[in-house]
Amino acid sequence: MPEFLIEATEAVETWTIDGAARRNALSKAMVRELRGHVERVSSGRSVRAVVLTGAGDKAFCAGADLKERATMSEPEVREFLSAMRETFRSLEKSDCVFVAFINGAAFGGGTELSLCCDLRVAAPTAELGLTEVSLGIIPGAGGTQRLPRLIGLGAAKELILTARRVSATEALGLGLVNRVGTLDDARALAQQVCQNAPIAVGAAKHAIDEGAALGLDEALALEQRHYATTLGTADRLEGLAAFAQKRKPAFRGE
Ligand code: COA
């Protein structure tokens, strides 16, 4: 059985984790399939943005599949964590833009999965949290690194060390989500991204992500390199022509 339901609307796909009965927890099969979908959209040009969500109205993703985890040996847990880290990283590094629609609980790996996405929209009933230390472990799929980069060291330490769960409204206040809304809002955000020039969107995404950990001089040089990738594109000329002719640009990703 596939772990994801896939729906396509023009350049936007919606991927729904199809495991409502286990609150869309991250199993080995689910991570493997996620990797396959990330590779598929990253190697093609037709899908430009993905909305990632969970089935049902209870959970976006309840983190690691704790029932499956209980059956794993220590080496198997290490192997699973490494597959999950690589998969999340490949999603983050993709030219595609990922929008998480957090439709309910997102705990542990569920919050970490949303942190790999470029944008996050939370349903009003959503709850987020890195709950790992309450289970005797620590966030293992990037949470200790991505959360502080997103919301700052102090707020991240509070959430991780207390394992506290936050509401959608609090998450919005912390900058942990971009907005509170519906699946349609998440899709509209993805569509809005797709109005823009694909090569420019990819270059801007990578400039922001890669520059976040650099000193300013190095980061500005990085921005210049990413800018350069847009200079020879037909889309840049189309942007200028459309502006001069007072019409909407028709970008082709070239
Ligand atoms: N792994 C595997 N199964 C999970 C799961 C997980 N992470 N989270 C929930 N489930 C299963 C439950 O065991 C239950 O299965 P059952 O019907 O066979 O008993 C089913 O999903 C429903 O869970 P339940 O807790 O009754 O649903 P709920 O809607 O009241 O609450 C959560 C949902 C996500 C808030 C709650 O299940 C929860 O807190 N889970 C743990 C989340 C967590 O700490 N994750 C971090 C992992 S590092």
Side-chain angles (χ1 to χ4, degrees):
M1 287 292 284
E3 303 286 320
F4 285 87
L5 299 171
I6 310 286
E7 283 170 80
T9 313
E10 296 168 19
V12 178
E13 279 194 358
T14 302
W15 299 354
T16 305
I17 310 167
D18 192 18
R22 56 168 211 281
R23 300 300 185 258
N24 305 315
L26 292 154
S27 65
K28 283 199 262 189
M30 185 269 199
V31 170
R32 201 167 37 240
E33 199 176 305
L34 177 61
R35 177 135 200 187
H37 286 302
V38 172
E39 281 169 6
R40 174 176 60 81
V41 295
S42 303
S43 62
R45 283 176 32 179
S46 55
V47 181
R48 309 235 327 266
V50 172
V51 175
L52 182 58
T53 190
D57 58 0
K58 295 279 197 304
F60 167 68
C61 171
D65 186 328
L66 297 174
K67 288 178 186 162
E68 186 183 67
R69 179 68 60 91
T71 68
M72 289 184 195
S73 64
E74 207 181 298
E76 282 171 333
V77 174
R78 283 182 207 277
E79 198 182 318
F80 173 74
L81 282 175
S82 147
M84 189 159 67
R85 285 190 197 107
E86 282 172 19
T87 301
F88 284 14
R89 190 72 179 126
S90 67
L91 186 157
E92 190 171 42
K93 287 172 96 170
S94 168
D95 282 345
C96 251
V97 170
F98 284 82
V99 181
F101 176 58
I102 304 162
N103 55 303
F107 298 134
T111 283
E112 289 180 300
L113 177 58
S114 79
L115 288 172
C116 299
C117 294
D118 301 291
L119 301 164
R120 282 155 295 279
V121 177
T125 53
E127 269 192 292
L128 294 90
L130 290 179
T131 54
E132 285 87 346
V133 298
S134 71
L135 292 163
I137 50 177
I138 70 167
T144 61
Q145 304 309 309
R146 292 191 180 98
L147 188 65
R149 280 173 167 77
L150 185 66
I151 66 170
L153 285 179
K157 274 194 182 165
E158 185 192 322
L159 291 196
I160 292 172
L161 302 184
T162 62
R164 190 163 69 78
R165 302 169 173 200
V166 297
S167 68
T169 319
E170 191 180 351
L172 183 64
L174 286 167
L176 177 49
V177 299
N178 297 84
R179 58 189 68 173
V180 176
T182 63
L183 176 60
D184 282 346
D185 294 327
R187 285 180 166 146
L189 197 55
Q191 290 286 3
Q192 210 179 335
V193 169
C194 293
Q195 303 302 306
N196 300 316
I199 294 170
V201 167
K205 163 174 166 163
H206 299 312
I208 295 166
D209 285 344
E210 292 161 22
L214 301 179
L216 189 57
D217 286 327
E218 231 185 312
L220 292 173
L222 173 90
E223 182 186 72
Q224 197 179 346
R225 287 197 297 279
H226 280 293
Y227 192 107
T229 65
T230 67
L231 278 177
T233 63
D235 282 348
R236 187 180 75 88
L237 300 179
E238 167 62 9
L240 290 173
F243 176 75
Q245 294 158 19
K246 300 188 189 298
R247 61 171 173 81
K248 240 178 103 181
F251 294 123
R252 298 206 316 269
E254 291 167 1

